[in-house]
Amino acid sequence: MNPLCEMLAAEDIELDADLDSADAVLARLAAILARRIGRLPADVLRGLEHRERLGSTALGHGVAIPHARLAECGAEAAALVRTATPVPYGAPDGRPVSLFLGLVVPAQAGEQHLKLLATAAALLGDRSKRATLATCASAADVVAVLETLPDAPGAPNR
């Protein structure tokens, strides 16, 4: 099973969110991720914001992978937010972003974090998968899409 499928449940997915800025998106992702790891949203938000200050996590083609390593994080977690309207996010292609996959991992998860990012980038880098995720009508539909994905090369061992 693809590790993202193992990490994303329907309650971790919000579709067509009415968010109009990068700050609003990061706050929403932080709230979802904080619930998953049992931390305060402000703690998760600080980690995501710190990483974004190093450079935008937008990949282009309307997708971004905001992520952070957190000392207070006991396990990896993921959240997916699709905005109703794309928001400016500093993407390399200059296009606004509407599909955000947020990730947090424990601070000590160096190689594991990189492998998870590579898995996420491979998923969102695929044009047909992006198009499918952009048209899902429900969180359950997103989960069903993820369930059809093969194990990603280099994915974290489970």
Side-chain angles (χ1 to χ4, degrees):
M1 181 179 289
N2 186 290
L4 291 176
C5 183
E6 294 177 27
M7 294 171 59
L8 275 170
E11 60 267 16
D12 306 320
I13 299 166
E14 184 173 344
L15 301 179
D16 302 324
D18 189 20
L19 304 170
D20 60 2
S21 70
D23 291 340
V25 171
L26 288 178
R28 185 69 51 89
L29 286 169
I32 297 168
L33 292 165
R35 184 183 70 239
R36 295 291 287 165
I37 64 171
R39 305 303 302 176
L40 293 173
D43 295 338
V44 177
L45 182 58
R46 271 192 298 278
L48 294 173
E49 289 173 336
H50 174 75
R51 172 57 189 86
E52 289 299 326
R53 282 192 296 276
L54 298 175
S56 175
T57 56
L59 303 178
H61 305 289
V63 300
I65 308 174
H67 57 279
R69 289 188 209 177
L70 301 176
E72 58 275 352
C73 180
E76 57 198 26
L80 187 138
V81 171
R82 186 180 72 200
T83 58
T85 304
V87 298
Y89 208 78
D93 62 3
R95 294 172 50 187
V97 174
S98 61
L99 189 60
F100 297 85
L101 177 62
L103 302 170
V104 292
V105 297
Q108 68 277 11
E111 185 178 336
Q112 181 180 355
H113 184 200
L114 294 176
K115 288 180 180 180
L116 185 56
L117 283 172
T119 300
L123 166 66
L124 297 176
D126 182 291
R127 180 185 309 199
S128 67
K129 290 178 181 73
R130 280 194 316 269
T132 301
L133 291 171
T135 60
C136 286
S138 70
D141 290 345
V142 172
V143 171
V145 169
L146 294 174
E147 288 174 347
T148 68
L149 299 175
D151 286 344
N157 294 330
R158 300 225 173 243

